Amino acid sequence: MSRNRSPLIAAGCAAALALIGLVAPASGHGSVVTVTAQVETPPVFADTGGDADDPAIWLNRADPDSSLVVVAAKKAGLRVYRTDGTLVQAVPAGARPGAAAGRLNNVDIVTGIRLGGHRTDLVLASDRGSDQVRSFRIRPDRPDAPLIEVTAAGAPPVFAADQSDVDGDTTAYGLTAWQHDGHAYALVTRAGRDALALVELVGTAAGTVGYHTVRTLRLPDTFRLPDGTSWAPCEDPGEQPQAEGLVVDPRRGVLYAAQEDVGIWRLPADLSGPGTLLDRVRDYGVPAHYDAPSDECVVDGPDPGFGGNHLTADVEGLTIAGHQLIASSQGDDTFVRYSLGATNAYRGAFRVAAGTIDGSQGCDGLDGFDGALGSAFPHGLLAIQDGTDTGPDAGGREATNVKFVDRSQLRTAH
């Protein structure tokens, strides 16, 4: 099993479970296609407090060859790269006034938002240090320093009721952007909890970006199994099964959320109703308990066979590319593909293997872009985090980085 944590059972969960549909797992993992990366970014070193975690791809519509990949590097802030992998800008994590030091976890892009009387594109980042959504304006006319922070002063915490919540690290975690009917939103998950929040971005007269919470929703933390028993994934004491990876299918108004030890949920993007668990991790339903001496989960019995066939916990990053949902199956270093639409049928899996550069292991986040992204990636790009960078630039130090994969390698892999 993956390292799990012990659950807290939510009041009224039985009623919520009655509203949630479970789709039977598809059969057979099938062959895993191998792809290789063409480009990698420089390593981000753990001993400097950095951790390249989640990428977001920005298209420069006026000059596609100047497009960017922005990466959340946690305590190291943001890293901005060209599509040839070279570093353009390092944005410190900083700290909001009165808040703890920044720890930027996930990023996404908002395009064409009106700010200070002009249309502009933004990078949004979840900040675990302050429990905020932070905003950075993209300046195409400043190729050496394209990002500048425009988070409104006094931006509220997304989840925390008080400072003890922030100090306890139950703060803004996963993040994705959604634009609908002229409004821009961020959907955010909470670390160590089963909560999701929908926040609407609001431009100010000062040219900064604030937000307010529209609604919140909780994913289940206990599940009724086909044999009539209940199961909850093993978690650390005091924690609930968290989600991190998020992506919105804007055409259908559907949010996909990766609950790490459970599976992938399909929900209304506006969080107006409950969701459907479209696929489960392989060890879904396996009984286990947290063992304090080893700080691990210990399996209590045989696998009852209720898990899926494609995902090995943790389920991490999600993206949409090539009209498919792609999920990082972190436990076996593969990426699982599903169709969009009503069925979300399984469409195969791939692995980023070593080629001229090393592959991807333990992937946290990924992002996909369809269509031409300048001369470097005329057929589209997948930016995929590598949780264990072993390239020569790493020099044997613990490091992470991002691999750039030409999406044409997957066009015939269905």
Side-chain angles (χ1 to χ4, degrees):
M1 298 180 66
S2 63
R3 163 95 187 286
N4 295 319
R5 295 160 287 277
S6 91
L8 294 175
I9 306 302
C13 189
L17 287 172
L19 294 172
I20 293 168
L22 296 179
V23 177
S27 61
H29 193 41
S31 61
V32 177
V33 175
T34 296
V35 302
T36 57
Q38 287 63 59
V39 174
E40 66 178 335
T41 63
V44 176
F45 295 109
D47 56 20
T48 65
D51 181 2
D53 185 274
D54 185 51
I57 301 166
W58 174 73
L59 171 67
N60 185 327
R61 291 175 292 276
D63 180 11
D65 283 327
S66 297
S67 299
L68 302 171
V69 178
V70 182
V71 177
K74 297 190 179 179
K75 291 182 180 179
L78 300 178
R79 295 288 186 268
V80 185
Y81 304 98
R82 297 186 181 93
T83 54
D84 65 0
T86 57
L87 180 66
V88 174
Q89 184 182 15
V91 180
R96 306 303 304 153
R103 188 157 42 125
L104 305 186
N105 201 70
N106 277 191
V107 289
D108 206 356
I109 306 293
V110 168
T111 59
I113 188 171
R114 184 168 292 281
L115 202 62
H118 303 281
R119 294 285 182 183
T120 190
D121 295 348
L122 299 175
V123 174
L124 304 182
S126 57
D127 187 347
R128 290 193 63 188
S130 63
D131 192 36
Q132 291 175 316
V133 173
R134 292 171 61 180
S135 298
F136 300 81
R137 183 163 61 87
I138 301 174
R139 303 178 293 181
D141 60 334
R142 292 287 304 275
D144 58 331
L147 297 193
I148 183 170
E149 183 159 13
V150 290
T151 309
V158 178
F159 296 105
D162 51 42
Q163 189 62 39
S164 66
D165 280 345
V166 177
D167 295 342
D169 265 354
T170 56
T171 49
Y173 193 51
L175 175 143
T176 195
W178 178 43
Q179 293 175 257
H180 179 65
D181 282 349
H183 298 269
Y185 304 91
L187 287 134
V188 190
T189 73
R190 187 176 190 182
R193 297 290 184 266
D194 54 21
L196 299 169
L198 175 70
V199 302
E200 183 175 1
L201 305 181
V202 180
T204 72
T208 60
V209 180
Y211 54 84
H212 63 87
T213 299
V214 177
R215 64 177 57 89
T216 60
L217 179 145
R218 293 183 62 181
L219 296 174
D221 54 18
T222 191
F223 301 85
R224 181 70 62 185
L225 299 178
D227 63 2
T229 63
S230 292
W231 171 79
C234 176
E235 307 290 340
D236 281 349
E239 294 192 359
Q240 297 164 341
Q242 67 186 13
E244 182 177 9
L246 301 170
V247 69
V248 170
D249 175 357
R251 177 183 171 188
R252 299 169 178 86
V254 170
L255 169 69
Y256 295 99
Q259 196 172 17
E260 295 175 351
D261 301 323
V262 177
I264 302 174
W265 291 92
R266 175 192 172 106
L267 306 131
D270 63 2
L271 303 186
S272 59
T276 299
L277 190 58
L278 71 90
D279 202 358
R280 311 177 184 96
V281 296
R282 288 185 169 90
D283 55 16
Y284 178 95
V286 174
H289 72 277
Y290 173 77
D291 177 67
S294 66
D295 191 29
E296 294 291 344
C297 285
V298 176
V299 175
D300 293 324
D303 185 342
F306 300 135
N309 297 316
H310 313 305
L311 299 169
T312 302
D314 291 352
V315 192
E316 289 285 344
L318 299 176
T319 192
I320 290 174
H323 306 290
Q324 293 180 336
L325 172 68
I326 304 175
S328 169
S329 174
Q330 190 181 70
D332 63 359
D333 296 328
T334 64
F335 300 88
V336 182
R337 300 186 294 159
Y338 304 86
S339 66
L340 300 178
T343 63
N344 293 124
Y346 171 68
R347 294 301 188 195
F350 67 92
R351 176 178 285 110
V352 183
T356 56
I357 58 179
D358 63 309
S360 171
Q361 298 82 39
C363 173
D364 280 326
L366 71 161
D367 194 22
F369 183 86
D370 291 329
L373 197 70
S375 57
F377 292 96
H379 306 295
L381 171 65
L382 289 174
I384 294 176
Q385 190 256 11
D386 178 10
T388 310
D389 178 29
T390 58
D393 290 347
R397 295 162 66 186
E398 183 180 349
T400 52
N401 71 350
V402 176
K403 269 50 179 183
F404 295 175
V405 176
D406 188 324
R407 219 184 60 72
S408 65
Q409 296 180 76
L410 292 169
R411 288 199 171 188
T412 59
H414 294 291

